[in-house]
Amino acid sequence: MSAASDVIIVGGGLMGSSAALFLRGHGLSVTLLETDLIGRQASGTNFGNVRRQGRPIHQLPLANRAIAIWRQSRELLGADVEYLQSGHIRVCYRERPELVGSMEDYAAKAREEGLELELLSGNALRDKFPFFGPDVLAGSYSATDGHANPRLAAPAFARAAARLGAVIHENTKIVDAQKVGEDFIVTAVDGRTFRAPILLVTAGAWGNALSSQFGEPVPITPKGPNMSVTEPVPYGILPAIGVMTPIEEETVYFRQVARGNIVLGGSTRGPSFPDQYRAYVEPQNTLSQLKHIRRLAPSLGKLNIIRVWSGIEGYMPDSQPVMGPSATTSGLYYAFGFSGSGFQIGPGVGETMAEVIAKGATDIPIAPYRIERFATPT
Amino acid sequence: MVEPRIIPRVVIVGAGPAGTRAAEACVQAGVRPIVLDEGRRDGGQIYRRQPDNFTRPYAKLYGSEAGRAQALHETFDGLKGAVDYRPETLVWNIAGGHIWTASQTYADTLPFDALLLCTGATDRLMPVKGWQFAGSYSLGGAQVALKSQAVSIGHKVVFMGSGPLLYLVASQYVEAGANVVAVLDTAHYSARIKALPDLLAVPSVLWNGVALTMKLKRAGVAVHNGIKPLEIKGNADSGVSGVRFRTGAGAEQEIICDAVAMGHHLRPETQLADLARCAFAFDPGTRQWLPKRDGDGRSSVAGVYLAGDGAKILGARSAEASGRLAALAALGDLGLPVDKGEMASLRGDVGTYAKFARGLAKAFPWPSEQASQLPDDAILCRCEGVTAGDLRGVMRETGAKEANRAKAFSRVGMGRCQGRYCGLAAAELIAAEAGVPVEQVGRLRGQAPVKPLTIAIGEEQ
């Protein structure tokens, strides 16, 4: 006899946990299944940027929906996930002056979507934020972006969902999912089965394993973020900082948490191994990250890093997620493959997917993320 | 038989007793190993060498172990032309068959055919309320101050905890003329009697221990057994002012002091073995997770060998034997001729020391129950300032009962020591709160860098 509910969610990251919470808000019964523990991979190991600027313009309505949830997260979740609306700065370097034009274009389009950005020269930035190095040419400042603690966020959403009646099974690895009649039957490795007329796959880098069972394989690549953290130093850097550049190795970012530690991220991503449930930080990537951090903010060279980490993220070839209904199977929905950019929009994804499932439609544009874009012509 | 490489690349991490004997075995086999060591001088912790311009004699520095210390140092001095010795070098990561090192801002990457991890040990600590105050040291830290810089950690020093190091460091302080006001041992004297059959495996070391106790008593130092630490008194401005404890008879007592050295024997430094992806297993005798190895020191990873207290706490004498044995195993695996008879004899020595170590564990048991009895306002993780109550609160709120999960939610073990000093106690507290055996709590995953790494690394290559 399998456990029955209105919706089964496979994958207990930020997407699945927030979807569970908002589905309960629509009055649907929810079973959330997680292979390991809630929010341990991409959702728990990312940089923690709650950043709208730099996202594709078509994604800003979703990001705006998410920011509203982040702002009320303390009340919504009954927990502090260390969300701070302390600003975000994206900078470019002297050898790429053309990026200033790109920043200006982006700011004009973002304004139409309700995101105000202020462009600052390198010198104006250094006056305000003396840690910027001499190579910084210009920057785009978003006062209403910020950051939060990824280790805490997804588990807090899951606990809030559980308080509202969602049933959460951790340590439940799913090995099979199929539609039998009107219901999906989902089977765990230990033989337990779960049944529901609606199935939402929020399985991150493991998403393809499930979508393939419904004839919708997608070209997802597992990678891992390259993260480091310093010892705590007096709190003084409010905004999160990132570099805009076409070169992956130069793409570094940092933020300081109220406790004082500075979290460093970016440069080359590492490999990750979904089958072994492990991701490793490549030492050469740590060294390249620190080199590019020194260029961005030379004074950080005086500090030590005390820990590095990574996790399993799923990347799509176009860096856009798979989000929306299945093209082959009614009652089946996807939200995975967020390509290293899912944290900020996560709660918005959960609320939007809950709306799509409960009401059949949403005003948020999600067409760019449909799974059919990867369908092979037959 | 494996064809030997023309020049096998052997890397030894650590220049203490195990590392020195491993290097010696390599040189004798015609191999020039690279010896990486964090210290400024060789010798490791127990045989730590004083700075060049200090002139205290061996007998003064190492007591009963003076002969062994001197022999080890002379061996290393004699190897210097034959090994590639790199002091003050941190191995901060191991990946892809390479070792990643840092020496100030200089970064290097070394490939290896055989890697011998002789990484030594640090104190096993049980938090006590007030242990964050200035003047509170580990036994090892107190010993470093004395051996390296010839200074005492305070004017009135209390030694508290358990294990052989408690008596050794206290007597070294007495010998150096420091004012030792008390030795407070959590172990009951009766435990030592019960452990005698195992301790008799190495009578000379047992006798050394007895002599240390007698020396303390002759010096008029109060020695209390079976105590329970209650609090290190003091404040954030002026540091330690006293120690409050319950005597074996159950009375509460307070001793005025300005410094405390504490510890409960040692724990191996296993992070490099973890980064090298060696398999670990729970050791019920010490209640610690230890890297698996065979009788010769082979880890679960081909080419990675483990020796000395960095693999399991068996003491300095055992470290010399296991360092040599692991090196011979590595050289043999590389296809070089090794003396099988000597290896068998070394295995026998290591086995004898293992019996003695079991005796020590019985004589000076780890007081695991003290972790669960820590008051809520006692700091558990000093790096991150997390109290026992904070951790209990996080467990109640989130249901976390696995070591890494509790760390993620509470920050326990997330600071610059990466849980090397609080991790074992935190695991005991989690186990007690969750009502599960401590092995079920798991172990904190090792994460690079093993010690803090400067962001300026690689700046001037």
Side-chain angles (χ1 to χ4, degrees):
Chain A
M1 188 65 191
S2 48
S5 53
D6 294 331
V7 183
I8 289 170
I9 302 175
V10 177
L14 184 54
M15 311 306 168
S17 299
S18 61
L21 174 66
F22 291 112
L23 282 164
R24 287 301 302 134
H26 289 287
L28 296 176
S29 63
V30 178
T31 301
L32 172 59
L33 307 173
E34 163 55 38
T35 301
D36 186 66
L37 299 173
I38 295 292
R40 210 161 193 181
Q41 295 300 330
S43 299
T45 60
N46 69 81
F47 176 66
N49 239 342
V50 182
R51 164 188 66 82
R52 285 177 292 166
Q53 78 160 323
R55 292 182 177 277
I57 294 294
H58 63 70
Q59 202 177 80
L60 289 180
L62 180 60
N64 289 340
R65 176 175 226 173
I67 206 94
I69 303 167
W70 283 111
R71 284 178 184 143
Q72 50 162 328
S73 57
R74 191 185 289 262
E75 298 72 33
L76 182 71
L77 305 176
D80 179 8
V81 297
E82 298 175 11
Y83 168 67
L84 290 174
Q85 186 175 300
S86 52
H88 179 269
I89 307 172
R90 206 153 65 120
V91 302
C92 62
Y93 289 131
R94 289 196 187 284
E95 74 268 23
R96 279 184 246 289
E98 69 279 9
L99 292 181
V100 178
S102 307
M103 282 182 178
E104 284 167 348
D105 287 351
Y106 185 85
K109 289 179 186 145
R111 183 167 295 118
E112 290 173 26
E113 298 294 338
L115 174 60
E116 287 293 332
L117 302 174
E118 181 188 358
L119 261 65
L120 295 163
S121 72
N123 288 337
L125 275 173
R126 279 180 286 273
D127 281 348
K128 245 177 143 168
F129 306 103
F131 51 78
F132 280 118
D135 287 353
V136 171
L137 175 64
S140 167
Y141 176 64
S142 168
T144 54
D145 283 344
H147 49 93
N149 189 333
R151 294 193 319 273
L152 306 179
F157 273 93
R159 290 198 303 278
R163 279 197 298 273
L164 292 181
V167 177
I168 299 178
H169 296 282
E170 296 184 314
N171 300 308
T172 300
K173 182 179 168 65
I174 299 308
V175 290
D176 184 65
Q178 20 184 315
K179 193 162 187 190
V180 181
E182 291 302 301
D183 276 352
F184 291 90
I185 309 285
V186 174
T187 309
V189 69
D190 58 7
R192 279 176 298 154
T193 58
F194 304 88
R195 174 188 292 265
I198 293 167
L199 173 62
L200 170 61
V201 175
T202 51
W206 294 265
N208 176 56
L210 283 157
S211 69
S212 295
Q213 297 198 18
F214 296 97
E216 297 176 290
V218 293
I220 193 167
T221 306
K223 293 184 192 171
N226 184 29
M227 304 300 306
S228 311
V229 67
T230 71
E231 59 214 323
V233 287
Y235 185 42
I237 304 173
L238 271 70
I241 316 286
V243 176
M244 180 185 190
T245 163
I247 315 278
E248 187 189 15
E249 194 188 309
E250 290 181 357
T251 313
V252 293
Y253 30 88
F254 67 88
R255 67 184 179 100
Q256 189 176 23
V257 302
R259 154 89 189 141
N261 312 69
I262 300 174
V263 182
L264 316 174
S267 203
T268 315
R269 296 179 184 96
S272 72
F273 304 93
D275 293 344
Q276 298 161 35
Y277 217 75
R278 283 302 301 263
Y280 298 99
V281 176
E282 299 278 343
Q284 65 269 28
N285 292 347
T286 301
L287 294 179
S288 79
Q289 176 187 73
L290 299 182
K291 178 178 136 194
H292 289 287
I293 284 286
R294 293 198 297 272
R295 183 184 187 199
L296 176 61
S299 53
L300 293 188
K302 298 194 176 88
L303 303 180
N304 294 305
I305 59 163
I306 60 173
R307 192 173 69 254
V308 304
W309 71 90
S310 189
I312 298 167
E313 295 179 326
Y315 284 80
M316 305 311 298
D318 55 5
S319 300
Q320 298 305 309
V322 171
M323 182 177 167
S326 159
T328 64
T329 312
S330 67
L332 174 62
Y333 299 86
Y334 299 116
F336 66 85
F338 283 83
S339 307
S341 304
F343 187 63
Q344 188 275 342
I345 53 175
V349 171
E351 190 173 36
T352 301
M353 292 311 297
E355 188 180 42
V356 168
I357 288 168
K359 297 187 168 168
T362 178
D363 291 338
I364 302 288
I366 57 171
Y369 317 130
R370 62 194 191 283
I371 195 164
E372 300 95 290
R373 72 188 193 274
F374 298 113
T376 38
T378 47
Chain B
M1 182 98 174
V2 186
E3 274 302 303
R5 282 187 64 95
I6 296 175
I7 309 168
R9 298 164 302 184
V10 178
V11 177
I12 300 168
V13 181
T20 298
R21 292 302 171 202
E24 181 186 36
C26 290
V27 170
Q28 286 166 350
V31 170
R32 179 186 172 87
I34 297 174
V35 179
L36 306 168
D37 191 55
E38 274 183 73
R40 192 171 293 174
R41 301 195 69 189
D42 61 282
Q45 297 297 339
I46 197 76
Y47 301 134
R48 172 178 289 271
R49 297 182 88 158
Q50 57 189 341
D52 272 332
N53 53 338
F54 283 51
T55 56
R56 288 165 292 173
Y58 271 95
K60 187 103 182 151
L61 276 172
Y62 307 103
S64 64
E65 302 307 291
R68 286 177 182 276
Q70 189 164 0
L72 194 80
H73 295 163
E74 284 170 0
T75 297
F76 198 85
D77 290 344
L79 292 173
K80 272 188 185 156
V83 302
D84 180 351
Y85 172 46
R86 304 185 190 182
E88 294 185 89
T89 299
L90 169 72
V91 177
W92 65 274
N93 208 343
I94 296 172
H98 285 70
I99 291 167
W100 298 75
T101 71
S103 187
Q104 298 190 4
T105 63
Y106 182 79
D108 204 357
T109 310
L110 305 170
F112 59 86
D113 299 306
L115 169 64
L116 288 122
L117 296 176
C118 307
T119 45
T122 57
D123 296 84
R124 176 165 59 168
L125 297 173
M126 177 57 76
V128 177
K129 185 183 173 183
W131 73 315
Q132 73 277 16
F133 294 136
S136 177
Y137 291 77
S138 70
L139 289 168
Q143 199 182 35
V144 169
L146 187 69
K147 272 192 213 160
S148 177
Q149 295 299 318
V151 294
S152 165
I153 58 170
H155 298 290
K156 289 180 174 177
V157 185
V158 166
F159 288 83
M160 181 163 73
S162 193
L165 207 54
L166 182 72
Y167 294 90
L168 176 65
V169 185
S171 69
Q172 286 171 335
Y173 265 61
V174 167
E175 176 77 32
N179 182 12
V180 176
V181 289
V183 173
L184 307 177
D185 189 341
T186 56
H188 289 273
Y189 199 76
S190 58
R192 247 165 282 180
I193 308 296
K194 283 184 202 143
L196 263 181
D198 285 332
L199 293 173
L200 279 166
V202 191
S204 60
V205 179
L206 173 61
W207 174 246
N208 286 346
V210 174
L212 292 176
T213 314
M214 283 161 54
K215 182 195 233 170
L216 289 169
K217 295 215 162 135
R218 271 203 307 278
V221 175
V223 178
H224 296 263
N225 290 103
I227 68 109
K228 188 189 168 207
L230 295 174
E231 185 179 0
I232 296 171
K233 303 197 74 165
N235 64 60
D237 298 324
S238 59
V240 171
S241 62
V243 171
R244 198 163 61 81
F245 63 101
R246 185 164 293 132
T247 66
E252 225 179 275
Q253 202 173 319
E254 208 169 303
I255 294 177
I256 292 172
C257 64
D258 62 0
V260 185
M262 50 192 274
H264 290 271
H265 208 19
L266 300 167
R267 51 164 288 284
E269 287 276 279
T270 57
Q271 308 94 300
L272 284 178
D274 201 359
L275 291 172
R277 305 185 192 177
C278 297
F280 278 61
F282 184 75
D283 176 51
T286 58
R287 296 172 76 84
Q288 295 171 6
W289 288 85
L290 302 176
K292 290 186 189 174
R293 55 177 175 163
D294 72 4
D296 295 346
R298 290 180 192 85
S299 76
S300 65
V301 176
V304 178
Y305 302 80
L306 310 166
D309 277 2
K312 182 174 184 172
I313 304 302
L314 298 175
R317 293 189 188 185
S318 175
E320 289 191 50
S322 68
R324 183 168 181 89
L325 177 58
L328 293 176
L331 294 165
D333 293 348
L334 288 168
L336 291 159
V338 289
D339 181 342
K340 297 270 160 54
E342 190 197 355
M343 287 180 74
S345 148
L346 288 167
R347 270 179 224 127
D349 293 347
V350 172
T352 304
Y353 294 122
K355 186 169 189 221
F356 184 78
R358 280 196 295 277
L360 283 181
K362 283 183 206 162
F364 304 105
W366 162 242
S368 55
E369 71 289 350
Q370 280 179 28
S372 61
Q373 294 165 4
L374 274 179
D376 275 348
D377 60 349
I379 286 186
L380 173 63
C381 166
R382 294 193 294 188
C383 294
E384 291 296 310
V386 184
T387 65
D390 292 336
L391 177 56
R392 291 185 182 113
V394 162
M395 288 184 66
R396 274 194 301 273
E397 191 194 335
T398 67
K401 49 189 176 191
E402 187 272 332
N404 296 285
R405 193 67 164 167
K407 169 184 163 184
F409 291 160
S410 72
R411 309 190 70 89
V412 164
M414 203 169 254
R416 60 181 289 141
C417 91
Q418 292 208 43
R420 284 154 59 233
Y421 295 104
C422 69
L424 293 170
E428 298 286 1
L429 188 149
I430 293 166
E433 290 289 311
V436 299
V438 72
E439 57 268 39
Q440 217 168 298
V441 174
R443 64 188 179 92
L444 292 175
R445 279 186 295 272
Q447 283 167 294
V450 162
K451 303 268 171 73
L453 178 72
T454 175
I455 290 177
I457 184 77
E459 201 162 54
E460 300 149 48
Q461 288 296 81

